[in-house]
Amino acid sequence: MSPAALSIPPRPEGYRGRIAPSPTGFLHVGHARTFWMAWSRARAAGGRVVLRNDDLDRDRVRPEFISGFIEDLKWLGMPWDEGPDIGGPTRPYSQSERMPQYAAALARLREGGWIYPCTCSRREIAASVSAPHAGDEEPIYAGTCRSRRLEDIPWGTRFSWRFRVPDGETVGFVDGGFGPQSPVAGRDFGDFVVWRPDGVPAYQLACVVDDALMGITEVVRGEDLLLSTARQLLLYRALGWSAPAFFHCPLIRDEQGIRLAKRHAALSIRELRARGRTVAEVLGVGGSPGNGFFS
Ligand code: GLU
Ligand code: ZN
């Protein structure tokens, strides 16, 4: 793999933010709120907005969800400066087209001895391609394969690559939204998958490679990704890159205080738009009892 695939652009002058939907469903009010925060922070800083298509989950991605998020973001009034539809200096903007970059990062992690081949836990490995949102944090990995080397794996055996976290180390950072964070590696999160047996990079690795190579200066996303940020900080360090700033947003809860989840699928942006809701109403969802959105 050519090392050129990993050449980091010079640190950008101004703020560069990103909006990174996964085309595995239509956007809902939770996405709208987070993306609005990302978009307005970029604009307030006089910066640029990158739209990234996180389409690595081949089993769940559908083309209508890609055209869907483009249409919904346009309706919401959040124009972007670079993206899969308009191109830009850090193209391509669809993860499925960025395999050389991910493969080069994997090679660098291997050379540095940061990762090991793991033959266990099929289910966890299958899930690793998507970001772990509320309710799908994985259990701490038991470390069964920690001392494995590639030579130990019998020919033909399927394995993933897992990142060895520094047990007991506090991976501290100051979050723009939630303030100082101090998750402990090995206690709050364990060794995590960076590459799946089917040759697909896991969310954690793809996200770091893209945010770094696209010159993102601040990552704005939901609060349920705080622990993913700790994992990603370890990846930045291992890859020798400086990390962006992070700003996590509170998740939208319904009138019972329950997190917006699949049971609220009807709260898709397009459904609300079809029912005549305005952009202001859609962005204002949550936290105000009696707004009728959850009934
Ligand atoms: N595509 C990921 C998601 O929608 C992005 C997560 C992130 O912002 O890092 O969950
Ligand atoms: Zn294992």
Side-chain angles (χ1 to χ4, degrees):
M1 192 52 53
S2 119
L6 283 188
S7 58
I8 297 266
R11 202 84 177 132
E13 283 291 300
Y15 182 108
R16 280 173 67 82
R18 48 75 153 183
I19 290 175
S22 298
T24 54
F26 289 117
L27 300 187
H28 56 60
V29 291
H31 297 114
R33 179 72 70 81
T34 304
F35 294 163
W36 175 251
M37 184 62 91
W39 189 86
S40 5
R41 285 185 65 79
R43 283 297 181 258
R48 284 168 75 83
V49 175
V50 173
L51 176 63
R52 190 175 80 213
N53 174 24
D54 281 5
D55 62 346
L56 285 180
D57 192 349
R58 284 188 286 229
D59 298 338
R60 293 167 62 217
V61 165
R62 290 189 353 217
E64 62 266 37
F65 297 141
I66 301 176
S67 46
F69 72 63
I70 289 183
E71 194 181 298
D72 291 343
L73 289 168
K74 282 186 176 159
W75 180 73
L76 288 164
M78 304 178 199
W80 49 96
D81 305 296
E82 299 167 30
D85 55 334
I86 53 174
T90 58
R91 73 173 68 82
Y93 294 94
S94 289
Q95 291 194 322
S96 58
E97 295 168 27
R98 300 178 58 81
M99 291 307 286
Q101 287 87 336
Y102 306 139
L106 180 76
R108 189 180 286 191
L109 291 173
R110 276 187 65 184
E111 281 156 23
W114 298 96
I115 55 178
Y116 58 87
C118 167
T119 51
C120 27
S121 59
R122 234 167 231 234
R123 219 163 42 105
E124 268 175 43
I125 290 165
S128 66
V129 73
S130 343
H133 287 289
D136 46 46
E137 266 298 332
E138 61 187 23
I140 307 277
Y141 177 64
T144 322
C145 302
R146 257 194 164 181
S147 53
R148 279 239 160 105
R149 292 160 311 154
L150 198 53
E151 309 84 89
D152 305 332
I153 309 279
W155 178 251
T157 308
R158 289 164 64 81
F159 64 93
S160 59
W161 287 101
R162 212 179 258 278
F163 187 90
R164 189 185 298 101
V165 304
D167 282 338
E169 181 182 326
T170 300
V171 187
F173 62 99
V174 180
D175 184 65
F178 284 81
Q181 303 294 310
S182 44
V184 176
R187 187 195 74 187
D188 297 316
F189 64 95
D191 294 358
F192 54 92
V193 174
V194 294
W195 202 270
R196 305 196 320 176
D198 58 1
V200 181
Y203 156 74
Q204 306 293 354
L205 180 64
C207 184
V208 164
V209 169
D210 291 346
D211 288 334
L213 267 51
M214 292 178 180
I216 302 305
T217 59
E218 183 180 70
V219 169
V220 178
R221 58 188 176 199
E223 126 190 50
D224 47 352
L225 293 171
L226 276 164
L227 279 181
S228 289
T229 294
R231 296 179 177 97
Q232 292 175 18
L233 285 169
L234 294 175
L235 286 176
Y236 280 101
R237 184 168 76 188
L239 290 162
W241 297 337
S242 57
F246 291 93
F247 186 104
H248 291 77
C249 317
L251 296 185
I252 294 191
R253 287 159 207 277
D254 70 6
E255 286 155 2
Q256 283 79 49
I258 297 170
R259 283 170 169 182
L260 188 77
K262 293 204 177 70
R263 82 175 187 85
H264 294 124
L267 290 177
S268 73
I269 310 296
R270 54 197 43 229
E271 174 71 25
L272 294 170
R273 182 177 62 193
R275 283 200 253 143
R277 296 290 189 159
T278 64
V279 171
E281 285 173 325
V282 168
L283 291 173
V285 167
S288 50
N291 62 16
F293 272 95
F294 296 105
S295 47

